[in-house]
Amino acid sequence: MSAEPPPALAAAPFRSRLPIPPVLRDDHIRIPIREAEQQILPGPKTRLWTFGGSFPGPTIRRRAGQRTRVTFHHELGEKAGELSVHLHGGHNRTQFDGYPGGLTKRQPLSAFCRIPRGLSARESGNEFLLEPGGNRTYVYDLMEDGRPERAAFQWYHDHRLDRTALHSWKGLAGMWIVDDAFEEALALPEGDRDLPLMICDRTFDRRNQLTDPFQGQRPPADGILGEAVLVNGAYLPHHRVDACRYRLRILNVSSFRSYNLRLSNGAPMLQIATDSGLMPKPVRRREILLGPAERVEVIVDFAAARGETVELRSSKRHGGRNPLGAHTYGGTLMQFRVGAGRVTDRTHVPRRLRPLPHWTRKATRKPDKRWEITIGGFFKTTWRINGRTFNPAHVEAFPKLNTTETWEIVNKTNVAHVMHLHHTDWYLLERNGRKPPSYEDCLKETFFVYPNEKILLAGHFSDYTGKFVVHCHMLDHEDHGLMSQFQVVRA
Ligand SMILES: [Cu+2]
């Protein structure tokens, strides 16, 4: 169903200001999950499902090691069914990890996953779900392996079985920044010069309402692409910056779309961090491919563009491998208006940033577990991992607490996937037997896996036993079977 695009998309670009979501810093945060109307395009406001009344939801900003409780109140009503909030990039107990759950009275069937009927609330994980009208308090310790976790740019979103793509599309996503003393000791740009940017694509109808493109989608042709790209919930916004260095934290929350980021003036972006915080050393890049759920943090120096404008763009073509099936966007995302005044800039990016944790050095190249992505099925074609769709009662691997394992992910389909593993950060050892490029020689938790590619990852299991999912973060794939799970067990 192809809606005619709204006239507002043809309006002059860069009219709206870049919205900066409110920042919450308390140790106990309350966030209603509710409908809201927001001015996204000129003309009628757009109805959304939101965390706290805005899209993106409020940015939660906390120091590593500070226990944080977030009480979510589900005010969307019965039509939304159960929800499950995942802090993407966090290291949390299963019950606070956004476990997808299984079948319920409100959701008695799964379109693509074979889930046994009659599972108990414990077996299905339904005990962790947030019901309409209910409250649930998630506890985030912001600790990992007995220490405050590494500072990182994370985000939170709904993760309910079969409905993650739809719920994300409707607006259930917000950013989360973990700070720590290690980063604060560096002279990186901060305050207004530390700018989080959430990118997504959405399609609107002529009345500026989100379309519902999710009916009748079948693998492998199930990637939903939006016609308009939004930054922090605004279409082609502008942002005024001073002529100095900025830290841009960029997050892709599109269901399916990738972006190949570059600056219109060809200036380099000095990448300092990925999904899992600061890298061992900065990497100078002219273009950055960012898949769904991936993050990149770059230092951009606007000093050379004093009094000018610089656009953040995405180009379809790029130097690296073509992420087949990922549909890289071609076009402008936003505009920076650089002030004409000279600015004293005392920021500095050191040549060495954050060392890798010890366990990365001990990781072997011999995989303890293999996860194979395929597509197939007799009655219905689904995405699969190790021959199965998601079933909360089936566990694929049982890593032991306080051990490091090496896992192999193999893509046997002819499209790229973006695999996300919960519970911890992962170290990419190899892509197809080769050492990864410098910008992947760091901790991450979301990885492109290209057709016929094999990646080797090491992960360290600490603190919490329990079930954690592994899935494609192209959300249509996740909802259509491409999810599995492991269970951390006592040694
Ligand atoms: Cu996928």
Side-chain angles (χ1 to χ4, degrees):
M1 110 190 152
S2 150
E4 233 181 294
L9 288 188
F14 315 130
R15 286 203 313 187
S16 58
R17 282 192 188 174
L18 177 78
I20 308 290
V23 179
L24 304 179
R25 300 170 185 272
D26 299 333
D27 58 1
H28 190 181
I29 291 165
R30 288 171 183 83
I31 297 182
I33 302 177
R34 63 175 179 87
E35 278 190 285
E37 291 202 323
Q38 187 161 313
Q39 193 80 55
I40 293 179
L41 301 175
K45 290 182 175 180
T46 304
R47 271 189 310 279
L48 299 164
W49 289 6
T50 68
F51 287 114
S54 67
F55 175 72
T59 300
I60 298 175
R61 190 151 192 168
R62 296 283 293 163
R63 278 180 71 90
Q66 286 187 327
R67 173 172 285 195
T68 305
R69 287 180 303 154
V70 184
T71 302
F72 292 99
H73 187 229
H74 184 336
E75 298 175 8
L76 289 172
E78 286 293 326
K79 64 185 182 301
E82 292 88 357
L83 301 175
S84 191
V85 184
H86 174 53
L87 171 52
H88 185 121
H91 172 68
N92 292 304
R93 295 165 188 82
T94 300
Q95 66 265 39
F96 307 131
D97 194 49
Y99 192 76
L103 305 178
T104 61
K105 269 195 193 133
R106 294 184 186 90
Q107 222 174 301
L109 296 167
S110 173
F112 292 91
C113 297
R114 284 184 65 175
I115 298 176
R117 287 178 185 280
L119 295 178
S120 69
R122 169 151 298 185
E123 288 168 312
S124 59
N126 289 349
E127 58 180 334
F128 305 140
L129 300 178
L130 172 56
E131 300 204 356
N135 282 310
R136 189 166 277 271
T137 299
Y138 289 66
V139 181
Y140 304 109
D141 287 353
L142 310 187
M143 298 282 290
E144 179 151 6
D145 208 4
R147 283 181 291 274
E149 74 172 307
R150 299 157 67 96
F153 178 35
Q154 305 175 347
W155 62 295
Y156 58 101
H157 64 89
D158 178 67
H159 208 307
R160 176 68 175 124
L161 176 80
D162 285 10
R163 295 188 179 174
T164 298
L166 172 70
H167 292 175
S168 166
W169 179 267
K170 284 174 166 284
L172 292 179
M175 296 182 273
W176 184 306
I177 296 172
V178 179
D179 293 305
D180 71 1
F182 185 94
E183 280 206 4
E184 285 157 5
L186 305 177
L188 298 172
E190 55 184 20
D192 292 345
R193 296 177 187 166
D194 174 355
L195 196 61
L197 302 173
M198 178 192 277
I199 302 171
C200 68
D201 61 340
R202 295 289 184 269
T203 302
F204 300 87
D205 65 17
R206 291 189 63 81
R207 300 182 47 75
N208 288 351
Q209 301 310 308
L210 291 169
T211 58
D212 180 1
F214 295 94
Q215 304 304 319
Q217 295 291 324
R218 298 265 179 278
D222 55 347
I224 300 289
L225 296 168
E227 287 161 359
V229 173
L230 311 180
V231 183
N232 290 354
Y235 177 60
L236 287 176
H238 73 269
H239 188 65
R240 293 183 190 281
V241 293
D242 297 323
C244 60
R245 281 188 281 270
Y246 276 68
R247 175 181 188 163
L248 307 182
R249 302 180 188 247
I250 309 174
L251 156 67
N252 177 5
V253 304
S254 303
S255 300
F256 189 67
R257 179 92 78 179
S258 294
Y259 301 88
N260 187 43
L261 302 169
R262 54 195 307 145
L263 296 169
S264 58
N265 62 352
M269 297 173 280
L270 190 62
Q271 184 181 351
I272 57 168
T274 60
D275 311 339
S276 308
L278 291 178
M279 305 156 81
K281 50 190 177 201
V283 181
R284 205 178 164 81
R285 303 186 71 185
R286 301 244 172 221
E287 56 171 27
I288 297 174
L289 181 66
L290 198 67
E294 283 192 297
R295 284 87 76 207
V296 71
E297 296 183 42
V298 295
I299 303 293
V300 171
D301 193 349
F302 291 107
R306 217 152 47 86
E308 297 169 11
T309 61
V310 179
E311 291 171 10
L312 179 64
R313 291 183 181 158
S314 171
S315 61
K316 284 194 174 196
R317 293 168 164 276
H318 34 82
R321 274 187 84 172
N322 191 31
L324 273 176
H327 290 275
T328 314
Y329 183 71
T332 297
L333 308 182
M334 66 170 290
Q335 181 195 58
F336 294 101
R337 297 182 182 168
V338 188
R342 286 182 192 280
V343 176
T344 321
D345 189 347
R346 294 190 209 292
T347 64
H348 168 72
V349 181
R351 287 163 68 170
R352 303 233 162 247
L353 291 165
R354 184 162 217 153
L356 293 168
H358 289 291
W359 57 261
T360 57
R361 268 173 260 151
K362 288 184 280 181
T364 70
R365 254 64 180 172
K366 189 175 158 295
D368 299 289
K369 176 72 192 167
R370 177 183 163 99
W371 306 80
E372 188 177 279
I373 306 164
T374 55
I375 182 164
F378 292 108
F379 299 105
K380 189 174 254 181
T381 301
T382 62
W383 301 105
R384 289 153 175 237
I385 297 182
N386 293 350
R388 292 168 183 269
T389 52
F390 182 67
N391 170 3
H394 172 80
V395 176
E396 195 59 37
F398 294 90
K400 291 191 174 73
L401 199 60
N402 301 318
T403 65
T404 300
E405 288 203 1
T406 296
W407 288 355
E408 183 177 67
I409 302 179
V410 188
N411 181 0
K412 296 274 197 178
T413 73
N414 57 17
V415 297
H417 298 282
V418 181
M419 295 303 289
H420 172 48
L421 302 96
H422 287 215
H423 180 70
T424 186
D425 299 324
W426 300 80
Y427 182 56
L428 182 64
L429 299 163
E430 289 178 3
R431 277 189 183 277
N432 272 346
R434 297 205 182 139
K435 193 175 154 43
S438 53
Y439 55 83
E440 284 187 318
D441 188 9
C442 54
L443 297 184
K444 275 174 69 63
E445 24 74 346
T446 306
F447 301 88
F448 266 110
V449 192
Y450 300 106
N452 291 312
E453 195 175 38
K454 191 156 70 174
I455 65 170
L456 213 54
L457 301 170
H460 184 70
F461 307 92
S462 68
D463 305 310
Y464 313 125
T465 57
K467 293 194 280 191
F468 299 94
V469 291
V470 174
H471 63 89
C472 182
H473 222 292
M474 288 162 167
L475 299 179
D476 308 291
H477 294 178
E478 170 185 340
D479 285 346
H480 299 165
L482 220 172
M483 177 154 67
S484 185
Q485 65 181 341
F486 59 93
Q487 183 171 356
V488 182
V489 295
R490 291 205 181 282

